[in-house]
Amino acid sequence: LLQESSPEQHFLLKDLVSADLGQSHLLDPFEAIVDDDDKFSTKLKAMMSQLEELDGAYPGGLKEYVHKAKKLLANSKAGLNPLAGWAPSVPAGEKFELGTEEYKSTEALGMETLGKVGFVLVAGGLGERLGYNGTKIGLPIETTTNSTYLQYYVDYIKAVQSKYAKGGLLPLCIMVSNDTKKPTIRLLAENNNFGLVPEQLFIVEQGAGVPALSDNNAKFATDSDDPFTLSTKPHGHGDIHSLLYKEGVISKWNEKFDLDYMVLFQDTNGLAFHTLPLMLGVSKKNGFVMNSLAVPRKAKQAVGGIAKLTNTSSGAVRTINVEYNQLDPLLRSTKKFQKGDVNDASGFSPFPGNINQLVFQMEGYSKVLERTKGIMPDFVNPKYKDESKTVFKKPTRLECMMQDFPTVMEGGETAGFTQIGPELCFSPVKNSVPDGVNLQAKGTPAGTAATGEADQYAATRIMLRSIGCTVEDAEEVSFNGIKVIPGPSIVIKAKVACCPGELKSVFPSPEKIKISSRSTLVIGGTGVTIESLDLDGTLVVNKTGKKIANMKVKNDGWVKVPVKDHDDEKIRMRGFVIEKKGGSYIGTDDSDDCFTDTDCMSGCIIA
Ligand code: GDU
C-alpha cells in the first residue's frame, strides 16, 4: 500500500491506522480491488490526497482531530455538562424599543461610524434543514423585487459606503465552504460582483471541512456510494476567525481601509442591517470589543442564550452565547435554574437569544486575533438513535462557532449585547415547510421562506409606523400551512433609507402617509421624498430624486396567489407567486417619469 504514497502521506496513514487513532477500516475496501492494479492505485492516491488535505485543514492535523473527537464524544455520551465549573446568571446588557429617545440617540451615535465598518458574511452552511441544494444567499429575500440575499447585502454596503464613507471603500469578506464556493462565485460573476470593485471583495474558503464521524470511537465515515472517499462536513462558522487571520484579511483591512468596526452576519437574515447603527452606538458607548445582537428568546428556540458565566474556581467572568443544545443541561445543573430552559413570567427565557450578528471593534479584535490565531473551541452534537447513546442517527463531526470568541478574550476585553424585538432584526430562512409548520404549532417562529419574506415587509411597516405613518396590516393567510401576515408589502431600498433614523428624510410628513392592507410600495430611487400619499394598490417609485406630494393611488395591485406545486423550488418553498394585476410606476433610474395605471406594466422596468 505504502509504495503508492509520498513520505508525508506514508506517516499520516501509518498514524491513522494505528490502534490509537483507529482508522484501519478505511483500508478494508481495498481488499476487494487488490487484483486490479490501476483501480487500486487511482483509488489509493485519491484517498491519500484527501487525507492529506483534511490533515492540513485542521489545526493540529487529523491526529488532534481524532483525539479531541474521542474525548468530546465520550463526554457527550456520559451526559457531562461541557460548561462544568461555570455558573450561569442573567447578563446585563442594553435593551431597546424602536421609537424611544434612547433608541434614537444610540442609533445617531452609531451612524457617525457607519462609514467605518467592514462586513463579513459567513455563507459556508449546507442548508440541510431548509432542504435546498443551491447557495442560500442566491435565494430571493422577497419576491416583490426579487432581490437575492447577496444582492441585498451588497446594496446595503454600497449605500452605506456612498452615504457615510466619504469616498472610501467598505470591504466585504464572504466565507464559503466546499459546498458553497462554486455557486457563490458563479452568483457574483453573473452579476458583475453586484457593483463591488475587486479591491473591496474578499473570499475565504473553509476548505476541505472535517471528516464525518460514524461512532463514539471517532471512526471516519465514507460516502454511502463510494467507500474510497471520506465523507466530510463543514467545521462550523467558527472557522471565520482563523481564516480572517490565516488569509491575512484583517491585516490587509487594517492597512488599506479606514475601519473602526467589523460586522459578522449570517446567510439568510433579511433583517440583518436595520439595527446595525444601533449596535455600533452600543459598542461605542460601552467600549465593547464584541457586541452580539440579541432578541427576547422563547425557551427551547434554536438560538443560543447569552449568559453571564462565572468560573466557580477562578472567579473569571464571561458574557457569552451558550448554544441551544447546551443551555438546558447547564441550567439544570444549577439550583437557581433547575427547571432548565424554560420561559419565566415574561413568557420568554431569561437569557437573551443570540442571533449571531456580531459587531467587533477592529483594534481590540485584531489584538485578540494576533494572540490566538482565531482558533475557537470545538464541540460535538451527535443525534443518537436511542438512550444507549452508542449509535448515531447520521454521522456527526466536530464543529466550532463564531460566537465563541469571548472564550479567547482576556480581562479588560469586554463583550456585551444589544437587545431588540426580533420583528426588527431577525427572521432567518433555515427550515423546510413541514418543519416550519411544526414549529409554528408550538408557538416558535417558523424560519421558512414565506415567513422570511413576510417579516421583511412587517419590519418596514413597523419602522414606518414608528415615525407616524398610518399603515394597515392584512389579515393572516396560510401558504402551504405556514401562517403569515402577507402585507402590505413595502420595500425601501437601502440607498433610499438604510435604517429607521433615515426614514424621516423620505417621509418628512409621516402623518400624511396612508397605506392600505392590500398595498405594495417599492421605493428604489435615491433621494425620493414622499410628502403625502394615500396608497391602495401598488406604487413603484424608482425615479432618482423624485418628489411626491398629494398623491392618491388606487389600482388592482399585486396579489399573492397560493401555489401548491411549482417547477421552481424557490417558489415551491414559499408557497405563493405574486400576480401583478395592476400598478402605478414612477420611472426607472434612467428613464423619464411614467405614471399611468395598469397599461404601463410592459413599458416600465422595475429595477
Ligand atoms: N456556516 C458556515 N460554515 C459552517 C456552518 C455554518 O459558514 O460550517 C454559516 C451558515 O451559512 C450560516 C451561519 O453560519 O450563515 C449559521 O449557520 P446555521 O444557520 O446552521 O446556524 P444555527 O442555526 O445552527 O445557529 C446559529 C447560532 C445560534 C443562533 C442561530 C440564529 O449558532 O446561536 O444565533 O444561528 O440564526
Side-chain angles (χ1 to χ4, degrees):
L1 278 177
L2 297 176
Q3 285 167 2
E4 300 284 339
S5 57
S6 69
E8 292 77 22
Q9 290 177 338
H10 177 142
F11 287 118
L12 175 62
L13 192 63
K14 221 171 140 191
D15 251 359
L16 286 169
V17 300
S18 68
D20 175 32
L21 301 188
Q23 306 298 336
S24 59
H25 65 282
L26 292 178
L27 300 180
D28 294 347
F30 287 92
E31 272 175 34
I33 56 164
V34 80
D35 295 329
D36 183 341
D37 283 355
D38 284 351
K39 190 169 181 191
F40 187 93
S41 168
T42 318
K43 292 288 178 193
L44 187 64
K45 276 185 187 147
M47 183 183 274
M48 292 290 208
S49 62
Q50 192 190 11
L51 285 169
E52 200 173 27
E53 196 186 355
L54 289 166
D55 190 58
Y58 188 79
L62 287 177
K63 186 173 181 174
E64 177 73 8
Y65 181 72
V66 174
H67 283 157
K68 253 194 221 170
K70 281 188 179 178
K71 203 164 142 201
L72 289 169
L73 285 164
N75 289 350
S76 168
K77 185 170 181 239
L80 291 189
N81 168 11
L83 293 165
W86 292 92
S89 56
V90 179
E94 294 215 32
K95 301 186 180 180
F96 292 89
E97 267 179 48
L98 182 64
T100 59
E101 278 315 309
E102 216 195 336
Y103 189 110
K104 286 181 196 158
S105 61
T106 311
E107 183 190 54
L109 182 67
M111 280 160 88
E112 288 171 14
T113 37
L114 204 47
K116 293 189 170 200
V117 179
F119 293 80
V120 180
L121 165 61
V122 290
L126 287 169
E128 278 171 323
R129 283 171 285 172
L130 184 62
Y132 176 66
N133 291 323
T135 174
K136 287 194 279 173
I137 50 176
L139 287 171
I141 191 167
E142 34 78 14
T143 50
T144 294
T145 70
N146 265 322
S147 164
T148 58
Y149 278 94
L150 187 55
Q151 164 102 61
Y152 171 82
Y153 298 142
V154 173
D155 282 351
Y156 178 87
I157 295 166
K158 286 192 309 185
V160 165
Q161 178 178 286
S162 74
K163 288 184 213 184
Y164 296 93
K166 296 187 184 139
L169 288 175
L170 299 181
L172 166 67
C173 176
I174 306 176
M175 178 170 80
V176 294
S177 64
N178 253 357
D179 305 282
T180 61
K181 183 181 177 181
K182 273 192 194 144
T184 304
I185 294 199
R186 197 180 321 124
L187 187 63
L188 283 163
E190 280 168 3
N191 293 282
N192 224 345
N193 292 343
F194 297 100
L196 292 175
V197 295
E199 299 90 286
Q200 71 187 134
L201 184 59
F202 296 74
I203 308 270
V204 293
E205 194 187 341
Q206 284 184 281
V210 287
L213 307 168
S214 56
D215 67 14
N216 282 326
N217 289 319
K219 223 167 130 179
F220 294 168
T222 51
D223 282 353
S224 50
D225 53 355
D226 177 7
F228 302 100
T229 302
L230 273 80
S231 159
T232 61
K233 295 195 181 199
H235 180 227
H237 37 75
D239 277 351
I240 187 61
H241 301 295
S242 57
L243 283 171
L244 288 176
Y245 174 78
K246 213 164 68 180
E247 303 295 328
V249 175
I250 296 301
S251 48
K252 274 181 218 146
W253 283 14
N254 282 329
E255 206 182 291
K256 293 193 177 152
F257 302 92
D258 181 16
L259 304 178
D260 287 343
Y261 290 94
M262 166 179 96
V263 60
L264 266 59
F265 59 103
Q266 302 198 152
D267 48 17
T268 60
N269 182 14
L271 312 183
F273 293 132
H274 297 315
T275 52
L276 180 59
L278 181 76
M279 286 189 85
L280 293 169
V282 171
S283 285
K284 232 170 152 178
K285 261 199 284 181
N286 295 280
F288 289 153
V289 168
M290 172 173 162
N291 183 5
S292 308
L293 189 57
V295 295
R297 175 179 182 276
K298 284 275 182 196
K300 311 212 166 46
Q301 197 179 338
V303 298
I306 298 180
K308 182 172 154 192
L309 299 182
T310 308
N311 192 295
T312 44
S313 36
S314 70
V317 175
R318 278 178 189 163
T319 295
I320 191 169
N321 169 75
V322 179
E323 198 54 344
Y324 47 92
N325 60 314
Q326 295 179 348
L327 188 62
D328 190 66
L330 171 69
L331 297 177
R332 279 181 199 281
S333 71
T334 67
K335 224 175 172 175
K336 186 161 177 209
F337 302 105
Q338 54 183 285
K339 286 193 183 140
D341 183 13
V342 290
N343 293 327
D344 63 16
S346 69
F348 291 94
S349 156
F351 298 91
N354 160 54
I355 61 167
N356 252 11
Q357 173 108 352
L358 312 174
V359 164
F360 290 95
Q361 188 228 1
M362 278 306 272
E363 198 187 337
Y365 180 79
S366 311
K367 271 189 199 152
V368 182
L369 213 57
E370 282 301 320
R371 190 175 70 226
T372 63
K373 300 189 169 44
I375 294 170
M376 296 295 109
D378 278 307
F379 75 100
V380 73
N381 185 17
K383 306 279 184 299
Y384 300 108
K385 227 172 195 156
D386 57 38
E387 300 273 292
S388 71
K389 293 191 178 176
T390 46
V391 183
F392 303 159
K393 280 187 188 160
K394 54 179 185 184
T396 187
R397 88 296 204 170
L398 296 195
E399 291 173 75
C400 64
M401 299 185 292
M402 66 185 191
Q403 65 269 39
D404 267 346
F405 199 76
T407 59
V408 296
M409 284 162 60
E410 288 179 350
E413 295 163 345
T414 51
F417 70 87
T418 306
Q419 180 174 305
I420 181 106
E423 61 284 354
L424 211 58
C425 66
F426 186 52
S427 181
V429 174
K430 299 197 188 209
N431 299 321
S432 64
V433 171
D435 288 349
V437 170
N438 288 338
L439 287 166
Q440 276 192 337
K442 288 187 221 151
T444 311
T448 59
T451 54
E453 174 157 357
D455 290 345
Q456 276 284 111
Y457 308 136
T460 310
R461 295 199 295 272
I462 289 167
M463 290 190 285
L464 288 181
R465 281 187 205 119
S466 81
I467 61 163
C469 302
T470 304
V471 188
E472 292 175 350
D473 265 342
E475 296 280 319
E476 184 178 282
V477 292
S478 165
F479 296 121
N480 282 340
I482 299 288
K483 288 178 275 180
V484 294
I485 307 282
S489 305
I490 306 176
V491 180
I492 300 174
K493 297 283 179 184
K495 60 183 173 177
V496 181
C498 66
C499 62
E502 285 190 349
L503 280 174
K504 233 5 221 298
S505 61
V506 186
F507 302 98
S509 309
E511 68 288 352
K512 294 188 197 155
I513 306 293
K514 199 170 157 251
I515 300 169
S516 78
S517 62
R518 63 180 195 91
S519 292
T520 296
L521 173 64
V522 177
I523 311 178
T526 314
V528 167
T529 17
I530 305 188
E531 175 67 34
S532 56
L533 171 70
D534 184 351
L535 175 62
D536 185 28
T538 289
L539 173 66
V540 179
V541 190
N542 280 335
K543 173 87 180 162
T544 303
K546 180 76 191 172
K547 308 244 175 294
I548 291 175
N550 298 322
M551 184 177 277
K552 198 169 164 133
V553 175
K554 191 170 173 68
N555 54 47
D556 289 343
W558 294 1
V559 182
K560 297 188 186 71
V561 181
V563 285
K564 276 250 167 299
D565 290 313
H566 200 281
D567 291 345
D568 186 343
E569 194 179 357
K570 294 173 186 169
I571 292 173
R572 220 169 36 237
M573 68 166 76
R574 69 193 62 231
F576 64 85
V577 286
I578 294 182
E579 249 175 46
K580 298 181 177 175
K581 291 183 183 289
S584 300
Y585 308 90
I586 302 186
T588 67
D589 280 353
D590 34 40
S591 81
D592 286 337
D593 273 16
C594 154
F595 180 57
T596 59
D597 57 14
T598 54
D599 300 335
C600 175
M601 278 302 301
S602 55
C604 289
I605 302 154
I606 296 150

